[in-house]
């Protein structure tokens, strides 16, 4: 189980941190993937753009390879059982630990006039999103690691208090097929992670036109090159190599890495201009078909509605099964 907030256009970080793994997992597991519209209200209270964003996220999910006939694709607010489970879990989450959450502190800093209770309890609703389907694997990017740790704590507390020796809710774990573990794609200026609403000129969106992709990549942060051979690249250079590993041919990516390894001050073998040009062309080839497929899907809202409705029904059935177990365990089943 995993989700994406409908707070804007999806970007390369969403793809490499989440969607790429989702598309592969759907062939190996029973999967639930969700557009988490309630979560977006914590930081985006104005809902004028919400509907469009929900359709867009769904369309981009499918364009990235998700098959609605295979995985359950749905919208969070179509599963009221999620909100009920959130309520029970909130009684087991403490103010002190919630206030220490890195994402809460970041968002509170960014939106000082709207530090609401939903923002504070974001990790609790996220836990509920996951365990409402009793999901164990959660394909997410590195920024979500702490939330998953918190989710395990809340679930352990629930089982301890209400399980009477049984595991009512399984403990969820962050998941990635990537050999290096959870992925973090940096913003192209090297400042923080790529994200939907920050740093738009330094974020590659899956909806970007070819020229925008080229322009943004040509401006990506680089430096003078390494001082000594076989240096470890700084994170903003590794970010470019990492993208190249995924969108470029293996020999091309290997060549630029080798050029970097051979470079030293006075002998700069690596040509960042060439690297960026190559990466830009490979990225255009990668993003263009996703963009075109998503635009095609967005032109057929009825089909997107059918997909959402079908996913909502499946997700509600799964949620109902869990919430009945939860009510019984908590002792709020009177009939
Ligand atoms: N830069 C990233 N690198 C790797 N994975 C990432 N994810 C997000 N950014 C990166 C992963 O994408 C999934 C959905 O996360 P999200 O909906 O929270 O996306 P966001 O881009 O971080 O956007 P926000 O939080 O709505 O908006 P802003 O821009 O305000 O921060 C997750 O699995 C996440 O790990």
């Amino acid at each position: 189980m995993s989700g994406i907030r409908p707070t804007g256009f999806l970007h390369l970080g969403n793809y490499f941190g989440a969607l790429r793994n989702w598309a592969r997992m759907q062939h190996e597991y029973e999967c639930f993937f969700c557009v988490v519209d309630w979560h977006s209200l914590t930081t985006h209270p104005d809902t004028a753009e919400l509907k469009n964003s929900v359709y867009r996220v769904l369309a981009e999910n499918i364009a990235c390879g998700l098959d609605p006939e295979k995985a359950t694709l749905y919208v969070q607010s179509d599963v009221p059982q999620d909100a009920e489970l959130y309520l029970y879990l909130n009684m087991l989450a403490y103010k002190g630990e919630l206030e220490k959450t890195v994402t809460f502190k970041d968002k509170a800093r960014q939106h000082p006039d709207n530090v609401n209770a939903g923002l504070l309890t974001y990790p609790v609703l996220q836990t509920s999103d996951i365990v409402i389907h009793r999901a164990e694997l959660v394909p997410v990017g590195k920024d979500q690691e702490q939330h998953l740790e918190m989710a395990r704590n809340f679930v352990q507390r629930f089982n301890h208090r209400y399980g009477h020796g049984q595991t009512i809710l399984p403990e969820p774990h962050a998941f990635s097929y990537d050999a290096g573990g959870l992925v973090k794609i940096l913003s192209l200026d090297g400042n923080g992670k790529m994200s939907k609403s920050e740093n738009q000129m330094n974020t590659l969106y899956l909806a970007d036109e070819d020229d925008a992709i080229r322009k943004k990549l040509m401006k990506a942060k680089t430096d003078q090159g390494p001082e000594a051979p076989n240096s470890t690249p700084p994170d903003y250079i590794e970010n470019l190599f990492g993208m190249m590993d995924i969108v470029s041919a293996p020999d091309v990516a290997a060549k630029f890495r080798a050029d970097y390894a051979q470079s030293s001050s006075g002998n700069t073998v690596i040509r960042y201009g060439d690297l960026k040009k190559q990466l830009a062309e490979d990225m255009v080839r990668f993003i263009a078909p996703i963009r075109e497929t998503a635009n095609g899907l967005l032109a057929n809202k009825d089909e997107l509605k059918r997909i959402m409705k079908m996913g909502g029904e499946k997700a509600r059935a799964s949620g109902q099964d869990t919430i009945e177990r939860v009510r019984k365990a908590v002792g709020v089943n009177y009939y």
Side-chain angles (χ1 to χ4, degrees):
M1 196 283 155
S2 198
I4 295 192
R5 302 205 310 158
T7 46
F9 292 85
L10 298 193
H11 53 81
L12 221 55
N14 298 133
Y15 182 81
F16 292 130
L19 288 163
R20 190 164 61 119
N21 287 316
W22 300 9
R24 186 163 158 197
M25 283 181 95
Q26 69 185 341
H27 301 293
E28 296 171 24
Y29 300 92
E30 184 190 356
C31 293
F32 292 86
F33 298 123
C34 179
V35 186
V36 287
D37 53 347
W38 284 333
H39 281 293
S40 70
L41 301 178
T42 60
T43 51
H44 292 62
D46 180 351
T47 54
E49 275 307 308
L50 182 62
K51 275 199 189 74
N52 280 339
S53 288
V54 167
Y55 288 129
R56 173 160 284 283
V57 171
L58 192 66
E60 289 184 338
N61 279 0
I62 298 168
C64 286
L66 292 193
D67 178 354
E69 307 296 331
K70 227 174 208 138
T72 301
L73 300 189
Y74 68 103
V75 183
Q76 186 182 31
S77 57
D78 272 339
V79 183
Q81 292 86 350
D82 187 10
E84 182 176 339
L85 181 54
Y86 169 51
L87 182 146
Y88 299 124
L89 293 175
N90 264 325
M91 316 298 175
L92 301 168
Y94 300 108
K95 181 171 161 276
E97 64 186 338
L98 294 169
E99 279 172 346
K100 275 191 241 150
T101 314
V102 173
T103 48
F104 170 71
K105 290 196 281 190
D106 283 351
K107 299 280 182 205
R109 212 177 307 119
Q110 288 162 12
H111 309 270
D113 51 342
N114 186 20
V115 184
N116 59 74
L119 192 64
L120 182 69
T121 57
Y122 191 114
V124 187
L125 180 55
Q126 191 176 9
T127 305
S128 175
D129 300 336
I130 300 163
V131 296
I132 195 66
H133 303 301
R134 303 198 299 284
E136 294 173 55
L137 300 182
V138 189
V140 284
K142 189 141 183 72
D143 57 309
Q144 295 296 322
E145 207 164 28
Q146 189 185 25
H147 287 183
L148 263 295
E149 229 176 275
M150 296 175 81
R152 282 194 293 283
N153 287 337
F154 301 146
V155 164
Q156 278 166 12
R157 281 177 214 160
F158 183 92
N159 287 331
H160 181 69
R161 179 161 293 271
Y162 298 118
H164 312 293
Q166 283 188 5
T167 301
I168 310 292
L169 303 172
E171 287 180 28
H173 292 269
F175 178 83
S176 170
Y177 285 108
D178 205 275
L182 301 189
V183 170
K184 176 178 175 180
I185 301 292
L186 287 187
S187 171
L188 295 175
D189 63 0
N191 285 327
K193 79 172 186 90
M194 223 177 243
S195 81
K196 290 195 210 81
S197 40
E198 305 296 313
N199 268 328
Q200 300 192 359
M201 275 316 290
N202 294 305
T203 297
L204 286 174
Y205 297 100
L206 301 180
D208 275 343
E209 294 295 333
D210 297 352
D211 281 349
I213 297 169
R214 292 189 181 102
K215 214 178 268 166
K216 288 180 185 182
L217 273 171
M218 291 314 288
K219 282 195 357 219
K221 178 173 178 178
T222 49
D223 52 25
Q224 302 298 313
E227 298 263 302
N230 299 314
S231 299
T232 305
D235 54 6
Y236 49 89
I237 299 292
E238 183 52 46
N239 202 39
L240 298 178
F241 283 144
M243 289 182 209
M244 205 165 220
D245 287 341
I246 294 164
V247 300
S248 303
D251 56 327
V252 172
K255 175 211 173 298
F256 283 103
R257 277 191 188 274
D259 286 354
Y260 187 89
Q262 280 173 34
S263 297
S264 57
S265 53
N267 178 31
T268 311
V269 184
I270 181 93
R271 299 267 173 259
Y272 288 130
D274 292 349
L275 180 152
K276 289 189 204 177
K277 250 186 229 151
Q278 177 73 47
L279 179 56
E281 290 318 309
D282 294 334
M283 193 60 79
V284 163
R285 256 196 304 279
F286 176 79
I287 287 182
I290 296 178
R291 180 186 67 222
E292 299 310 321
T293 308
N295 286 343
L297 287 161
L298 279 164
N300 187 355
K301 292 267 165 50
D302 285 345
E303 174 61 2
L304 290 177
K305 285 181 194 171
R306 184 193 70 79
I307 290 168
M308 259 191 247
K309 218 167 164 190
M310 173 176 78
E313 276 161 24
K314 284 202 234 164
R316 265 195 307 281
S318 161
Q320 187 58 28
D321 184 19
T322 302
I323 211 71
E324 280 168 21
R325 297 172 192 227
V326 164
R327 284 181 171 201
K328 191 163 162 221
V330 175
V332 293
N333 58 329
Y334 307 113
Y335 306 103

